[in-house]
Amino acid sequence: MKTYRIAVVGATGMVGRTFLKVLEEYQLPASEYFLFASARSAGKTLDFMGKKYTVEELREDSFDRGIDIALFSAGGSTSEKFAPIAASKGCIVIDNSSCWRMDPQVPLVVPEVNPEDIAWNKGIIANPNCSTIQAMVALKPLLDRYGIKRVVYSTYQAVSGAGQAGWADLENGIKGEAPAKFPYPIFNNCLPHIDVFTESGYTKEELKMIQETRKILHTPDMRVTATTVRVPVFNSHSESINVEFEKPFDMKELRQLLASAPGVVLQDDPDKLLYPMAINATGHDEVFIGRLRRDDSVESGINMWVVADNIRKGAAANAVQIARKLIEQDNK
Ligand code: A2P
């Protein structure tokens, strides 16, 4: 098998450090790794793959070294500038920012859902929004079997989704300190506000969920709506998802479909108080689904509760899984 030169951009960040952890676990066929961050971190060392790696400043000439794959999580403006530079040097960028996701030239990929889209990349592959990824893993098997008319998302999102600064706001808030990242205290509170507000009244996070769902599932006209909420949880996003189907369904069959779907763990036994929870999802790459109930207010529909580690499956693990698929497809 071919070996690959792999870079991590934003290696010192919340997602970047998880990239390193997931790369250690997944053991891709890499010949060499390169770690990049801003000038602030240049020269810092990070423990990775049993060695000490020196972080380099990301610069325009950083990719002049035959780097094959670069995992980016260093913010939208870094991706906007550097992803095309990397791609022009023959590197394939897997980008965790929202910058390239809706570009028609850029595939938006969840490996369990639309791995076929990896093949038409032109040098940049986008990693979807964290809340969207876990929803896709849950919806895809249901879409294929029953068709979907409408989806209503309500999210309960952890502070780690806002990076180290979001995490610090909750930690410091517990000690009574004022927030620095969020506009209001997140401790003992829920903020119905993730990312910026748009003219429509929806936040950008809500629009991301709506638009990315349609792109990933190849359902441009699907009716989707969302309310996204930041809650005082350190890690792992929870989502209530209401789905209305085109066709009738049998609950037993639907449960089996989900139980056998790739990347899904069904945790649904109310008698035993078994349902997905953020504290249990953290550290895992699967999407946990439970609280399955028929929605009697429509002809054919369900409610479900979907939980995943937003930093792993919602970001780093999904990106590394894209890289793994890319390598598989490259070696076919
Ligand atoms: P640094 O640590 O040097 O600031 P988080 O969202 O968790 O704060 O992580 C952001 C990541 O993106 C960090 O690794 C950060 O590096 C990196 N980053 C931010 N700005 C740049 C930039 N202009 N060039 C390269 N990396 C950047």
Side-chain angles (χ1 to χ4, degrees), residues 37-44 55-58:
S38 77
R40 290 181 291 275
S41 305
K44 222 182 193 173
V55 178
E56 296 179 54
E57 179 189 357
L58 181 69

Side-chain angles (χ1 to χ4, degrees), residues 226-296:
T227 301
T228 59
V229 180
R230 188 77 69 193
V231 296
V233 167
F234 280 109
N235 195 56
S236 288
H237 290 351
S238 305
E239 298 177 357
S240 159
I241 307 184
N242 176 267
V243 195
E244 190 179 350
F245 299 121
E246 310 260 5
K247 296 182 200 156
F249 71 95
D250 171 69
M251 197 51 142
K252 206 168 147 210
E253 185 201 61
L254 183 148
R255 295 173 67 87
Q256 276 162 0
L257 262 180
L258 286 176
S260 59
V264 170
V265 176
L266 193 64
Q267 286 184 328
D268 192 25
D269 192 347
D271 290 343
K272 296 195 173 114
L273 304 188
L274 179 68
Y275 38 76
M277 290 191 288
I279 52 172
N280 293 336
T282 287
H284 297 276
D285 294 344
E286 293 87 2
V287 173
F288 298 87
I289 304 179
R291 298 295 328 277
L292 282 169
R293 289 151 291 152
R294 187 177 283 275
D295 174 1
D296 290 319

Side-chain angles (χ1 to χ4, degrees), residues 9-15 36-41 44 58 73-75 78 82 162-165:
V9 176
T12 51
M14 180 83 78
V15 174
F36 297 106
S38 77
R40 290 181 291 275
S41 305
K44 222 182 193 173
L58 181 69
S73 191
T78 304
F82 288 95
Q164 276 155 358

